[in-house]
Amino acid sequence: MTIVTAAILVIGDEILSGRTQDTNTNYIARWLNEIGIDLMEARVVTDVEADIVAALNALRARYTYVFTTGGIGPTHDDITAEAVAAVFGVPLGVDKEAYRRLEAHYGAADFTPARQRMARVPEGGILIDNPVSIAPGFQVGNVFVMAGVPKIMQAMLEHIRDRLQGGQTMLSNAVTIMAPESKMAGAIGDIQAANPNTAIGSYPFMEAQRFGCQIVVRARTQADIDKAIASVVAYADGEQFDYEKN
Amino acid sequence: MTIVTAAILVIGDEILSGRTQDTNTNYIARWLNEIGIDLMEARVVTDVEADIVAALNALRARYTYVFTTGGIGPTHDDITAEAVAAVFGVPLGVDKEAYRRLEAHYGAADFTPARQRMARVPEGGILIDNPVSIAPGFQVGNVFVMAGVPKIMQAMLEHIRDRLQGGQTMLSNAVTIMAPESKMAGAIGDIQAANPNTAIGSYPFMEAQRFGCQIVVRARTQADIDKAIASVVAYADGEQFDYEKN
């Protein structure tokens, strides 16, 4: 059974200042899950090259793939390309194909130095197409550098799908039980102990002043999931809790 | 000028699997900004003790404060208290006051072992009140351990407000310009260079097929912000771009 792992590095002061709610992590997490890649860690760092470099080095050594979002635009605070070049110890050059695409898009007269910045790719980088606004992302080693704008990032993900080696998909099913988590914790712990091939998570919530809890069962095979879910349902039935399988 | 920094550690498989969209980071980011604390980094890790410990050790050494969310409930996958005890090298004991509150809340007959788990606090920890569902968070050193459920986390933040030493607030103003970022990148870079006391960020977006860009100016004094914003507005006026100050 092949386990393939990944990390996300979100680059951008706007997330840390609270101005922008990051949604890319959640989108990438679900997308990776579908193709059998386990997201193991996510980080958000500021637009400071040393911080980006340190985070990339930690993550790329540990996980199969690293996906970055943000910092590849035309402005002075877009420094992801510099950071990735530093990480891999290669020069940051002008990629001819990226340059050609951008020049064709803007027209030679409007292809300003700021726009030319977006053609810079660390040596050896492989372009990631951007059908939305042309300026490409790029891959160096196991690091995939993408835009921060969600629509562009999502298009870039589709473009790299064939480059990624998926593993055994982590499947999941859930049961939402309308009872306080603390009431069922002992029983769920017992079910976890009896189902070692599963990872059972318990996520409490409040809805219209009522406490509920979603019990999520994750495993590599549906049979393992079904067995654990059946135990959760039998428990909820026994306690006469309202519940819903989802 | 006192600069106070912070990091957030989100603990939970449900964020990394994509099942749950994290909103706590954004909430805490905005809340910290208001009281003059700069959020410098955020991480999301799985429910694995070694990973929580490693992240906490990295973050608490580097930043003034660390805020964690998640993993302090009654179930088997709630292991944040264990991890924090390991980080500080102290025993994980039963906190008498937490035990008293929880027992009073559930009633002695229903105060099950799973619920008693929520009274465990690393030795020396200071409780963080939970007016919503009683089970407290706790502070050890510069680490503040809070629940993952947003409503509870938000109430806990209010409770610790007086324990935090704020610094010089990072102020910000923005101008949203309806033009492609790449068109204005050169000018904005020049304005950044002319305003070294500010951090100018440029955040492109798409809206109804039009490209726009929000230029955010951050600084410790309003005068520094006003000067840079005036330059951005003068530039937009000169180019006859639609814009809005916000």
Side-chain angles (χ1 to χ4, degrees):
Chain A
M1 189 177 293
T2 312
I3 307 298
V4 181
T5 61
I8 295 173
L9 180 63
V10 174
I11 298 161
D13 291 347
E14 74 278 21
I15 307 295
L16 291 169
S17 72
R19 253 189 193 265
T20 303
Q21 161 75 54
D22 167 60
T23 57
N24 285 335
T25 298
N26 184 259
Y27 186 95
I28 299 171
R30 287 183 285 113
W31 190 89
L32 289 174
N33 197 61
E34 273 172 28
I35 60 175
I37 296 175
D38 297 349
L39 180 62
M40 302 302 290
E41 185 170 348
R43 296 192 191 185
V44 189
V45 295
T46 57
D47 297 321
V48 171
E49 186 174 320
D51 291 345
I52 301 171
V53 168
L56 273 179
N57 276 329
L59 298 173
R60 77 188 179 101
R62 183 156 187 204
Y63 305 109
T64 315
Y65 301 118
V66 180
F67 301 90
T68 78
T69 67
I72 61 167
T75 52
H76 63 277
D77 57 337
D78 291 308
I79 57 168
T80 304
E82 280 89 340
V84 174
V87 159
F88 287 96
V90 297
L92 180 61
V94 171
D95 184 275
K96 280 183 189 159
E97 172 61 14
Y99 191 94
R100 189 193 63 71
R101 290 182 197 175
L102 286 159
E103 187 174 35
H105 176 64
Y106 289 116
D110 285 331
F111 195 34
T112 57
R115 285 170 169 164
Q116 289 170 25
R117 269 176 69 89
M118 296 189 287
R120 297 173 316 151
V121 172
E123 197 172 281
I126 304 163
L127 296 188
I128 300 175
D129 288 357
N130 170 359
V132 180
S133 60
I134 309 306
F138 52 83
Q139 171 192 357
V140 184
N142 63 339
V143 176
F144 295 80
V145 175
M146 303 187 291
V149 176
K151 272 191 210 308
I152 301 174
M153 189 282 295
Q154 291 164 20
M156 286 180 168
L157 269 187
E158 292 314 315
H159 181 67
I160 59 175
R161 187 189 286 263
D162 293 344
R163 298 187 203 171
L164 305 175
Q165 173 83 48
Q168 186 82 21
T169 303
M170 183 65 98
L171 306 170
S172 79
N173 282 164
V175 184
T176 300
I177 303 179
M178 291 311 298
E181 181 186 44
S182 63
K183 196 147 192 172
M184 63 185 86
I188 300 302
D190 293 344
I191 295 170
Q192 171 70 84
N195 290 271
N197 290 337
T198 68
I200 304 182
S202 167
Y203 306 110
F205 62 87
M206 275 180 297
E207 202 176 86
Q209 309 298 319
R210 286 178 73 196
F211 287 100
C213 185
Q214 188 175 49
I215 306 299
V216 177
V217 179
R218 306 178 78 221
R220 305 279 173 191
T221 75
Q222 191 60 45
D224 283 332
I225 289 183
D226 290 346
K227 179 167 168 285
I229 289 280
S231 297
V232 173
V233 164
Y235 162 72
D237 279 333
E239 297 284 330
Q240 300 190 296
F241 291 144
D242 285 344
Y243 67 89
E244 194 176 345
K245 287 171 74 168
N246 43 13
Chain B
M1 188 177 293
T2 313
I3 306 299
V4 181
T5 60
I8 295 173
L9 180 63
V10 175
I11 298 161
D13 291 347
E14 73 278 21
I15 306 296
L16 291 168
S17 72
R19 253 186 192 268
T20 303
Q21 161 75 54
D22 167 60
T23 57
N24 285 335
T25 299
N26 183 260
Y27 186 94
I28 299 172
R30 286 182 286 112
W31 190 88
L32 289 175
N33 197 62
E34 273 172 28
I35 59 174
I37 296 175
D38 296 349
L39 180 62
M40 302 302 290
E41 183 169 350
R43 297 192 190 185
V44 189
V45 295
T46 59
D47 297 321
V48 171
E49 186 175 319
D51 291 345
I52 300 170
V53 168
L56 272 179
N57 276 328
L59 298 173
R60 77 188 179 101
R62 183 156 187 205
Y63 305 109
T64 315
Y65 300 118
V66 180
F67 301 90
T68 78
T69 68
I72 60 166
T75 54
H76 63 276
D77 57 335
D78 290 308
I79 57 168
T80 304
E82 281 89 339
V84 174
V87 159
F88 287 94
V90 297
L92 180 62
V94 170
D95 183 275
K96 280 184 188 158
E97 171 61 13
Y99 191 93
R100 188 193 65 70
R101 290 183 197 175
L102 287 160
E103 189 175 34
H105 176 64
Y106 289 116
D110 285 330
F111 195 34
T112 58
R115 286 170 169 165
Q116 290 171 26
R117 270 176 67 88
M118 295 189 288
R120 297 173 315 150
V121 172
E123 198 171 282
I126 303 164
L127 297 189
I128 300 174
D129 288 356
N130 170 358
V132 180
S133 61
I134 309 306
F138 53 82
Q139 170 192 357
V140 184
N142 63 339
V143 176
F144 295 79
V145 175
M146 302 186 293
V149 176
K151 272 190 210 307
I152 301 174
M153 188 283 295
Q154 291 164 21
M156 287 180 168
L157 269 187
E158 292 314 315
H159 181 66
I160 59 176
R161 186 188 287 263
D162 292 343
R163 298 187 204 172
L164 305 175
Q165 174 83 47
Q168 187 81 18
T169 303
M170 182 65 97
L171 306 169
S172 80
N173 282 164
V175 184
T176 300
I177 303 179
M178 290 312 298
E181 181 187 44
S182 63
K183 197 147 192 172
M184 64 185 86
I188 300 301
D190 292 345
I191 294 171
Q192 171 71 82
N195 291 271
N197 290 338
T198 68
I200 303 182
S202 168
Y203 306 110
F205 62 86
M206 275 180 297
E207 203 176 86
Q209 310 299 319
R210 287 178 74 196
F211 288 101
C213 186
Q214 188 175 49
I215 306 299
V216 177
V217 179
R218 305 177 79 220
R220 305 277 172 193
T221 75
Q222 191 61 43
D224 284 331
I225 290 184
D226 290 345
K227 177 168 171 285
I229 289 280
S231 297
V232 173
V233 165
Y235 162 72
D237 279 332
E239 296 285 330
Q240 300 191 295
F241 291 143
D242 287 344
Y243 66 88
E244 194 176 346
K245 286 172 75 168
N246 43 14

